[in-house]
Amino acid sequence: MEDMLHVMEWHNGEKDYSPFSDQEMKRRQDDLRTWMDRNNVDSTLLTSHHCINYYSGWLYCYFGRKYGMVVTANSATTISAGIDGGQPWRRSFGQNVTYTDWRQDNFYRAVQQLTHGAKRVAIEFDHVSLDYRKSLEAALPGVEFVDVSDASMWMRTIKSGEEIRLIKEGARICDVGGWAAFNAVQAGVQEHEVAIASTNAMIREIAKSFPFVELMDTWTWFQSGINTDGAHNPVTNRTIEQGDILSLNAFPMIFGYYTALERTMFCGSVDDASLEIWTKNVAVHERGLRLLKPGARCSDIAIELNEMYREWDLLKYRSFGYGHSFGVLSHYYGREAGVELREDIDTELKPGMVVSMEPMVMIPEGTAGAGGYREHDIVVMSEDGAENITRFPFGPEHNIVGR
């Protein structure tokens, strides 16, 4: 096997379309290099989906293989497996090397080549497992490893103008999925049929809206009845019944940027107990939207909204925080944990941040008004204030559907 290549440049075709300019991608990489210089870091090895996507534009498919990106003072190079062909190079802003499957350590050979001579290497402590760390230490003896995950997260929390334009497109496409679901709901229809209608509508709109785009990881969670009790419960084949509480969650994925539309709905009619809880949750949502503005602290927002729930004896049914940052994230990879609307996070909202407002309460089965109630809008912080970029209506006057 010595005549077989272990690490090579397997470039094929030309660089693909990106929604981001070369200047935007260089800015991101240069921000990382500035941090490296200040912290005496010779090379950074990125390994997570979100960091590699943010700094290169390429979103890898894990499938049991390792992927990376090495950034130095003068270069940025993604590391991909041979199974991916030339696609990682076409999607990467910068260079790319491919490792083959002929030997299990070929990924580490690529890392060795790209970090040659480095004494301090930054890695993502929150992504590298203990076994992974041991393998890196064996491949790079004598190298000191430092953490880049927290620093990178804070870089990603402030979105550029180009990122915000893409996120606004995502919010618009969320609404397309929302209306498709709205029109598909009827008593007797199964959850997955509504989800399919929403997802297909969003995929088609993404395909129509960009010159060339990878159509991946757009999905819809559509829940009914007891299935609404969890925000992330999977779609099932449960049949929707008249009077059911419904939860719509539409998630288009565009170049690694995920956006979301989430709405409480009812099929055909809503009983008085459910209407009362729904109306109260909408009031919390509306108050939360008014609180989202530059200078506000995440913890203060959560504490104030808690008081509304406490006044109605609903706080015990709140199941998670009131919102989170948007940008490069997905259900299967990381997000910016420093910008979540929770009591234990004191981050101050700043221009360029993009956050959701999404209050939820879950009333247990057997209790009047049982089910999960949640509304969700996306808000962009700016120098002048805050802009709600979600257009789909919420509340009982709009979302009693399938009548």
Side-chain angles (χ1 to χ4, degrees):
M1 294 205 309
E2 289 306 316
D3 60 338
M4 293 182 174
L5 294 173
H6 301 294
V7 179
M8 57 189 172
E9 289 187 348
W10 207 350
H11 301 172
N12 189 34
E14 303 296 331
K15 293 288 190 180
D16 281 333
Y17 166 81
S18 169
F20 302 118
S21 67
D22 289 356
Q23 292 78 12
E24 164 69 10
M25 298 306 297
K26 186 175 185 300
R27 177 197 64 79
R28 300 181 191 186
Q29 294 179 4
D30 284 349
D31 283 351
L32 180 56
R33 291 187 178 105
T34 297
W35 175 87
M36 291 166 59
D37 184 61
R38 290 173 179 167
N39 291 274
N40 298 314
V41 170
D42 303 307
S43 302
T44 293
L45 170 63
L46 305 169
T47 52
S48 67
H49 286 93
H50 44 283
C51 275
I52 294 175
N53 180 253
Y54 181 76
Y55 292 106
S56 77
W58 168 53
L59 184 59
Y60 67 80
C61 177
Y62 174 64
F63 232 110
R65 291 169 171 81
K66 287 184 169 56
Y67 294 88
M69 179 181 185
V70 173
V71 178
T72 69
N74 302 308
S75 65
T77 308
T78 52
I79 306 171
S80 57
I83 195 169
D84 299 297
Q87 183 263 1
W89 177 76
R90 293 193 297 273
R91 282 293 182 191
S92 295
F93 179 76
Q95 294 304 306
N96 167 266
V97 296
T98 296
Y99 70 91
T100 65
D101 285 344
W102 316 138
R103 287 177 50 154
Q104 291 185 356
D105 63 352
N106 280 349
F107 171 80
Y108 298 101
R109 287 185 175 221
V111 173
Q112 289 171 334
Q113 293 176 18
L114 294 171
T115 61
H116 181 71
K119 300 300 183 185
R120 278 170 60 87
V121 174
I123 60 175
E124 297 177 72
F125 281 14
D126 64 352
H127 185 259
V128 174
S129 68
L130 292 175
D131 285 343
Y132 203 159
R133 175 74 175 259
K134 289 178 182 177
S135 297
L136 286 172
E137 289 171 346
L140 304 175
V143 165
E144 180 185 0
F145 293 104
V146 298
D147 184 30
V148 71
S149 57
D150 197 55
S152 174
M153 178 196 71
W154 289 114
M155 292 178 209
R156 299 193 314 272
T157 60
I158 305 298
K159 276 62 184 178
S160 68
E162 292 186 22
E163 287 182 281
I164 290 171
R165 283 194 290 275
L166 182 64
I167 291 168
K168 286 183 176 181
E169 269 293 275
R172 179 185 68 80
I173 292 168
C174 282
D175 291 348
V176 171
W179 286 115
F182 183 100
N183 293 326
V185 173
Q186 291 286 338
V189 173
Q190 294 176 313
E191 288 179 4
H192 70 279
E193 293 295 343
V194 178
I196 288 169
S198 171
T199 300
N200 286 353
M202 290 190 291
I203 290 172
R204 291 186 178 111
E205 187 63 25
I206 294 169
K208 186 176 74 173
S209 301
F210 296 90
F212 183 72
V213 60
E214 292 171 338
L215 298 168
M216 56 188 294
D217 302 317
T218 290
W219 85 104
T220 302
W221 283 321
F222 186 83
Q223 302 129 348
S224 64
I226 194 171
N227 292 338
T228 63
D229 66 346
H232 300 157
N233 291 353
V235 175
T236 76
N237 59 350
R238 182 185 182 276
T239 299
I240 299 167
E241 299 178 4
Q242 174 75 14
D244 267 349
I245 186 172
L246 311 171
S247 187
L248 165 67
N249 310 262
F251 305 112
M253 173 69 80
I254 312 170
F255 296 97
Y257 283 70
Y258 134 105
T259 46
L261 168 70
E262 300 169 10
R263 288 290 183 260
T264 297
M265 298 177 169
F266 275 79
C267 180
S269 61
V270 56
D271 63 90
D272 290 343
S274 299
L275 180 61
E276 181 180 357
I277 296 165
W278 191 7
T279 301
K280 289 175 177 176
N281 201 58
V282 164
V284 174
H285 183 59
E286 291 173 332
R287 177 58 181 156
L289 289 171
R290 291 193 294 272
L291 293 174
L292 289 178
K293 55 188 176 182
R297 293 190 179 277
C298 295
S299 53
D300 292 341
I301 293 170
I303 290 167
E304 180 164 341
L305 296 181
N306 280 348
E307 288 305 310
M308 293 185 71
Y309 279 140
R310 183 178 285 112
E311 183 179 330
W312 296 319
D313 196 29
L314 290 174
L315 186 58
K316 60 190 175 185
Y317 298 129
R318 199 195 108 195
S319 56
F320 61 91
Y322 289 99
H324 60 81
S325 181
F326 269 86
V328 175
L329 73 152
S330 176
H331 59 307
Y332 65 85
Y333 59 85
R335 76 187 201 194
E336 298 144 13
V339 188
E340 294 204 24
L341 304 181
R342 299 185 346 189
E343 299 85 345
D344 56 353
I345 294 180
D346 294 325
T347 301
E348 180 181 305
L349 298 180
K350 298 177 180 178
M353 289 183 173
V354 181
V355 295
S356 62
M357 173 52 60
E358 50 178 311
M360 177 176 178
V361 289
M362 188 281 285
I363 311 302
E365 197 73 2
T367 306
Y373 299 77
R374 183 172 73 264
E375 313 296 341
H376 176 297
D377 288 24
I378 300 174
V379 179
V380 176
M381 302 294 118
S382 69
E383 297 290 347
D384 302 323
E387 178 187 2
N388 187 340
I389 61 173
T390 300
R391 301 287 180 257
F392 196 94
F394 58 82
E397 60 272 30
H398 302 290
N399 288 328
I400 300 174
V401 299
R403 291 188 284 193

